[in-house]
Amino acid sequence: MDRLAFTAMASINERRLLREQLNNELANASTVGFKKSVDKAMVAVKAKGDGWDTRIQPYIEKMNAVSLEPGHLMATGNRMDIALQEQAVMGVQAKDGTLAFTRRGDLHLNSEGVLENGSYHPVLSEDGGPITIPTGFEVNITAEGDVYARNPAQPLNEPPVLVGRIMLRDASAITLQRRPDSLFAPYPENAIANGDFANGPKQPKIVRGALESSNVNVVTAMVKLIDFSRSFETQVRTIKEAKSLDEAGASMLKAR
């Protein structure tokens, strides 16, 4: 009966990772541009080691692939808000200074004039540096990601100045993984210099004056959470039943 209890306990331990992932998604259901993870697969593997040759246990494939399925668009009318279309992602500077990618497009200027998103990550230009705009200048972002700045004190017929193009990448041809800081990065086999990746076949486009909601379906996530709860209860009952059967067998042997 120890094999039954071993398998049930292994299942509880592995499904813990799924519950943690689901809880994180529910917590970010209202976060702008948040992307859920691709469902992990559970496989059966043979346990290794002396005395474990007959043990088969469930195992979760350790992958943290991100689903770039678009969320709903929310019109804001704010010229600093952008939503990325299809599987496009935007390059930002992570807290550790490395290149990372995100779908969060609630942009603003910090006190130093650096263009940031709602998570306070500086938005990078195609040359790899943060986009900086003089204080007080009006900002306009085109559908291709070009950032123009204009001094409101200048005559209206004066054209705005191009200060940079937002680093946009089409990720439709590859799979991105979630970093520990919740930003995205390509898998090593798809990464090139400085953590960047080759642009896909589609031209990245943005929607101005709108934000993208999370692609987490709250109803589906809650149903999965209930299913995990029922599965946990079933596995615990299985372990208790295995203990009862083992004790009954031991009692029968003592009776003889």
Side-chain angles (χ1 to χ4, degrees):
M1 295 303 169
D2 65 317
R3 298 178 185 177
L4 182 61
F6 173 85
T7 304
M9 189 61 202
S11 177
I12 291 175
N13 185 60
E14 288 298 302
R15 290 175 72 86
R16 170 183 54 84
L17 301 176
L18 296 177
R19 292 193 297 272
E20 291 176 353
Q21 172 185 305
L22 187 59
N23 288 333
N24 179 62
E25 292 176 358
L26 281 172
N28 287 279
S30 59
T31 300
V32 174
F34 180 82
K35 295 301 172 187
K36 64 182 180 181
S37 298
V38 176
D39 291 340
K40 294 181 174 65
M42 183 175 287
V43 297
V45 298
K46 187 175 182 179
K48 298 180 180 180
D50 296 337
W52 303 91
D53 296 338
T54 59
R55 303 296 197 276
I56 302 296
Q57 68 180 81
Y59 177 78
I60 291 291
E61 292 287 350
K62 301 298 189 297
M63 61 177 294
N64 202 11
V66 177
S67 171
L68 292 180
E69 176 185 353
H72 298 294
L73 290 184
M74 303 177 294
T76 65
N78 186 345
R79 65 172 61 190
M80 296 289 285
D81 288 340
I82 62 173
L84 283 75
Q85 294 183 326
E86 298 185 354
Q87 282 77 46
V89 291
M90 177 176 65
V92 295
Q93 187 178 71
K95 299 300 182 183
D96 59 3
T98 59
L99 169 63
F101 297 91
T102 184
R103 294 271 293 193
R104 184 163 187 170
D106 47 346
L107 308 183
H108 65 273
L109 297 177
N110 65 14
S111 58
E112 299 177 352
V114 177
L115 189 64
E116 296 180 335
N117 69 354
S119 298
Y120 303 101
H121 294 122
V123 177
L124 300 181
S125 63
E126 285 291 351
D127 61 10
I131 296 176
T132 304
I133 299 171
T135 303
F137 275 50
E138 297 176 351
V139 180
N140 183 44
I141 303 174
T142 69
E144 291 75 26
D146 292 327
V147 181
Y148 288 90
R150 179 183 174 278
N151 188 346
Q154 291 180 337
L156 294 178
N157 59 353
E158 286 289 336
V161 178
L162 177 65
V163 296
R165 167 170 281 197
I166 297 174
M167 181 185 291
L168 299 176
R169 295 289 183 268
D170 171 39
S172 60
I174 67 170
T175 300
L176 298 179
Q177 61 177 330
R178 193 185 310 279
R179 294 164 38 120
D181 55 9
S182 294
L183 296 173
F184 311 149
Y187 282 94
E189 59 269 22
N190 296 318
I192 54 178
N194 301 322
D196 199 358
F197 64 93
N199 209 3
K202 301 178 182 179
Q203 179 64 35
K205 295 284 187 179
I206 63 177
V207 178
R208 296 169 293 174
L211 294 175
E212 181 190 17
S213 65
S214 166
N215 66 352
V216 176
N217 187 311
V218 177
V219 175
T220 301
M222 289 300 298
V223 171
K224 287 184 178 180
L225 195 61
I226 294 172
D227 179 64
F228 286 154
S229 178
R230 297 291 185 267
S231 176
F232 175 79
E233 294 172 358
T234 300
Q235 299 294 350
V236 170
R237 284 198 298 269
T238 300
I239 295 174
K240 291 180 178 179
E241 187 64 25
K243 178 182 177 183
S244 299
L245 292 174
D246 190 55
E247 291 175 348
S251 299
M252 291 177 62
L253 291 175
K254 288 180 181 180
R256 293 185 178 183

